[in-house]
Amino acid sequence: MKNISQIFKGREHLMDLSPVEELINYTQELEGQVFEKKIEDNYDKEHMLKSMLQDILLSCRDMEETNQLAERYPGMYEKNDAESLVKNLKTYILDMNYKNNLGI
């Protein structure tokens, strides 16, 4: 993408015209808004991915804790099935990807 100096190269005198100055200011304002939007979008996706990782880690820790309790007290707790955990994890990731348009 060309910047303003490249566009007016050799015709710098046109930049002094009032309507052109207005257009240049407006263009610079829009560029700033686009840049801010990109930063905001990246932050939102980063926040969503961090939240997902925290959920996954919490789920893994819960599974480990439940399995330890099942080993100590077999009658009171059941061991978690790793296959169902992986299946649920995959479903969770795909669902979050779809809902938040993460592009995974």
Side-chain angles (χ1 to χ4, degrees):
M1 186 158 110
K2 291 184 178 181
N3 65 28
I4 293 171
S5 299
Q6 291 171 331
I7 293 171
F8 287 99
K9 186 175 182 181
R11 296 171 274 183
E12 288 82 7
H13 64 282
L14 294 175
M15 292 174 67
D16 295 332
L17 299 173
S18 179
V20 175
E21 283 181 359
E22 258 184 75
L23 185 60
I24 289 171
N25 290 336
Y26 182 69
T27 302
Q28 289 172 338
E29 185 180 319
L30 288 177
E31 286 175 346
Q33 289 176 0
V34 167
F35 184 70
E36 287 174 13
K37 178 71 173 146
K38 284 183 180 180
I39 290 173
E40 189 176 299
D41 287 348
N42 285 339
Y43 175 77
D44 288 344
K45 285 187 180 184
E46 180 183 326
H47 180 71
M48 179 54 59
L49 291 172
K50 183 178 178 182
S51 176
M52 284 177 60
L53 287 174
Q54 287 173 334
D55 289 346
I56 291 167
L57 183 59
L58 179 64
S59 179
C60 291
R61 287 179 177 158
D62 287 346
M63 184 199 80
E64 289 174 338
E65 185 179 319
T66 302
N67 284 345
Q68 288 175 352
L69 289 171
E71 287 176 9
R72 286 188 200 155
Y73 311 106
M76 295 177 67
Y77 297 93
E78 286 187 34
K79 263 192 158 181
N80 287 325
D81 179 23
E83 187 175 324
S84 65
L85 179 72
V86 171
K87 183 180 175 182
N88 290 338
L89 180 59
K90 180 182 172 186
T91 302
Y92 172 73
I93 291 171
L94 292 175
D95 189 42
M96 292 299 283
N97 179 50
Y98 176 75
K99 286 180 182 176
N100 298 292
N101 195 24
L102 297 173
I104 298 175

